[in-house]
Amino acid sequence: MINIKLNQNPMPEQEPDVRNHNFLEVAEGYTEEMAINEAMRCLKCRKKPCVGGCPVNIKIPDFIAQIAIGEFEEAYQIISEDSSLPAICGRVCPQENQCQGVCTRCAKGEPVAIGRLERFAADWHAAHYGDEEIPPVESNGHKVAIIGAGPAGLACAGDLVNKGYEVTVFEALHKTGGVLVYGIPQFRLPKEIVAAEVAKLEAKGVKFVTDAVVGRAITVDELMKEEGFESVFIGTGAGLPSFMNIPGENLIGVCSANEYLTRINLMKAYLPEYDTPIMHGDRIAVVGGGNVAMDAARCAKRMGAKEVYVIYRRSMEELPARAEEVHHAIEEGCIFKLLHNPVQILGDEDGNVRAIECVQMELGEPDASGRRRPIPIEGSNFEVPVDMVIMSIGTKLNTLILDTTDQLEANKRGGIGTDDGAATNRDGIFAGGDAVTGAATVIKAMGAGKVAAASMDDYLSK
Amino acid sequence: MFKVVKRRQLNDNMFWLVIEAPLVARKAKPGQFVILITDEYGERIPLTMAGHDSEAGTIDLIFAAVGRTTMLMSQLQEGEYLMDVVGPLGKPTEMDGLKKVCVVGGGTGNALAYPLACGMHDHGVEVDMICGYKSKDLVILEDEFRAGVDNLYMMTDDGTYGEKGFTTDKLKELIESGKEYDEIVAVGPPMMMKFTCKMAQDYGIHSIASLTAKFVCVDGPEFDGSLVDWDDLIKRSNYYKDQEAEDRAHVCRLTGGVRYND
């Protein structure tokens, strides 16, 4: 039976004015009834565009059909055949541009809430089978190293350990999870979920070495020549923040979203028992329109800022953040200053931020990215009084691994060069995720990690 | 977990810890730093290594117990642990091609100047070391410096030890007396580094400043002294001071210095 309702089952959420004062998860998850009801909205159409829209081609109609008949564990198992991190992707994937964006139901009404159903299946599994003991996988005698314990590395590790490889993951930070722990806030992705995924991998036999900066403490070449790793996957992400290079970026009260979010998420500056110092502001400008900007703005609100402005140079239509995050940010009281571009940050005599000067923009012809190019309107400059500015205009690649690995070649974007199978120019060395593409999404990184795992298996089976 | 294998108190509030960190020690070079975390609730702080022993797998950390983290570190005894130590980070000190260098250390900055000066000396560079302290009771590492550099000049602001005066007074005297340095290295409070680098510039000598403040991870921790905006840096380095002073009072008041763990 098909549920013909045009709208999705709404996600139960904390009230905006409550949640913008806490770090608890905003979306509380579907109940079993809601999940079944939503699953019945799937038309079981023959073309299954959703599967093609998913970067890792999860068999979406199949798992949804299982939810519709109350077989939740079966649904989880179907998702797990293609995705290593369903509880995470269900929460952070930009579904509107992927599976849901191409759902047949979009022709009239809202698409099936695939992301919410994925999350439901994963959470249901964790609640009912999360404590199940996972037996270690028997070793096939091959040693592989993975650099970076973020989404790409974790996905790669998961697939390789399942095939019997002895996997060691090297992580530069003191905690595993990469952007999932240092970037995405607790209220969007509880860290316990990431920790549970890592614990599962550990139970299977994956070794994690934290505090290990590959490239400094030990090089990729040393891992292969001296430490006996037969193949290496590089999934080091893109963690170096960019700035606008406008006057005033050195003022006290200016920081990168990367630093701000790391202090809050990884170093738990929002909890009083932690020592992590953090800048506080009453009126904060966040510059940028991506997911990271939304995270920074919503964190700023939760850290006690009275007014938070999101300054973005194009219009709402071009705003790259995930739709749900924008919606949540607006609900929580963040003020969007669209078609605005900062020209300088102004300080007082002590060097503290006192305002940000913006110019108004209008949209011209589409540029190389296909988005309409913003053009400044001359003479439209004005000041927005703020005491803190968070720059969130993207991140660059850290070239440490490229610089320290013998003859490893870069691609045009400055990332690590790979072929479609994630192989670099060096025999046995593979790479994927943001380290190759530049800043992208969790699911794409995860997909790249899985492609690499398959290629590494081929390489080592020869 | 990273074990404290040796602890030494250098003066009232300066400490020397030898930490077991084999992955860091195997490649460490003078001038590089580590990031450490004391325990689950600790912040990440950068600290320049004062030395290392690749064979023993240990690194040396010399620090003043002035902030919350360094105060907690000062309480660690031999056999206890730091939760995390990551490194080596930053670019090693450039030494190639140098013949004669003057290293100027101010106060606790001498702890950072120590591995640098001795490292250069070991590399075959002739090293004059000027150590500046406020007064006699703050003097540290005199024997270590004496053993590790070519000439050591001890200065105190109040004249209670060595010669009376600032490090810049001695630096000027040495340059005026005809010493020809290829480079002057300043390690100490921002104000002292500012004046040292300015003096170097006045005499047309290349200068290096070791900045342990922010944004050092990628390019630092050492910068061309003539390119640093000192006033900006001094302002910025004051930013977390208020918060730290508050924290410090907090640690002392609540726990007598030892963090309460339940």
Side-chain angles (χ1 to χ4, degrees), chain A residues 36-332:
Chain A
I36 292 172
N37 189 275
E38 184 64 30
M40 288 167 69
R41 293 186 63 237
C42 176
L43 298 173
K44 301 176 183 165
C45 60
R46 203 179 299 170
K47 282 205 294 193
K48 302 177 184 175
C50 51
V51 179
C54 171
V56 295
N57 307 118
I58 294 174
K59 294 181 271 299
I60 293 167
D62 297 2
F63 93 74
I64 290 181
Q66 293 299 323
I67 292 179
I69 57 169
E71 295 291 338
F72 306 132
E73 176 61 14
E74 187 52 33
Y76 173 79
Q77 294 302 335
I78 292 170
I79 300 171
S80 298
E81 286 168 20
D82 301 294
S83 169
S84 323
L85 310 164
I88 295 168
C89 295
R91 286 171 166 83
V92 304
C93 262
Q95 289 96 0
E96 69 269 24
N97 303 327
Q98 301 175 349
C99 53
Q100 291 178 194
V102 291
C103 177
T104 305
R105 292 210 61 153
C106 290
K108 197 177 173 197
E110 291 180 340
V112 177
I114 300 167
R116 294 172 184 174
L117 291 174
E118 180 187 22
R119 167 188 166 163
F120 169 80
D123 288 357
W124 195 92
H125 169 83
H128 294 84
Y129 294 95
D131 296 336
E132 251 187 12
E133 207 166 300
I134 301 167
V137 184
E138 203 177 315
S139 163
N140 66 9
H142 291 288
K143 261 178 85 178
V144 295
I146 288 173
I147 306 166
L154 293 180
C156 189
D159 282 11
L160 288 172
V161 76
N162 284 343
K163 291 193 167 96
Y165 290 95
E166 288 178 24
V167 182
T168 305
V169 181
F170 295 89
E171 167 57 46
L173 286 170
H174 63 288
K175 288 209 165 89
T176 49
V179 73
L180 306 172
V181 297
Y182 76 72
I184 303 175
Q186 178 78 9
F187 56 81
R188 203 146 81 71
L189 175 63
K191 301 310 152 217
E192 297 74 17
I193 291 172
V194 183
E197 295 297 341
V198 171
K200 265 190 231 169
L201 294 176
E202 275 184 315
K204 287 180 181 174
V206 176
K207 278 189 219 127
F208 287 91
V209 183
T210 50
D211 294 321
V213 184
V214 175
R216 292 266 190 233
I218 191 162
T219 64
V220 172
D221 293 298
E222 286 167 339
L223 286 174
M224 297 181 84
K225 283 182 198 134
E226 293 167 22
E227 303 295 324
F229 291 101
E230 296 162 70
S231 181
V232 175
F233 172 73
I234 304 164
T236 45
L240 200 59
S242 300
F243 283 87
M244 292 183 77
N245 293 318
I246 55 172
E249 281 184 319
N250 261 338
L251 290 165
I252 301 162
V254 183
C255 68
S256 69
N258 216 286
E259 176 185 341
Y260 188 67
L261 289 172
T262 301
R263 287 178 183 278
I264 292 172
N265 301 324
L266 179 72
M267 302 304 298
K268 309 239 181 294
Y270 66 93
L271 296 173
E273 61 268 34
Y274 283 77
D275 291 348
T276 312
I278 184 93
M279 290 187 188
H280 288 284
D282 272 342
R283 298 164 62 88
I284 301 181
V286 177
V287 180
N291 285 320
V292 177
M294 298 307 122
D295 287 344
R298 297 171 70 196
C299 279
K301 207 70 195 170
R302 285 165 173 76
M303 295 301 289
K306 292 193 185 81
E307 284 188 6
V308 176
Y309 302 101
V310 175
I311 300 178
Y312 178 57
R313 63 200 180 119
R314 304 185 210 235
S315 72
M316 193 56 102
E317 210 172 299
E318 291 84 15
L319 201 103
R322 197 171 170 256
E324 189 175 75
E325 311 314 328
V326 180
H327 169 73
H328 280 155
I330 294 169
E331 276 188 346
E332 287 165 18

Side-chain angles (χ1 to χ4, degrees), chain B residues 117-132:
Chain B
C118 298
M120 283 188 164
H121 179 79
D122 291 345
H123 198 71
V125 182
E126 189 182 336
V127 178
D128 282 357
M129 177 73 215
I130 306 173
C131 292

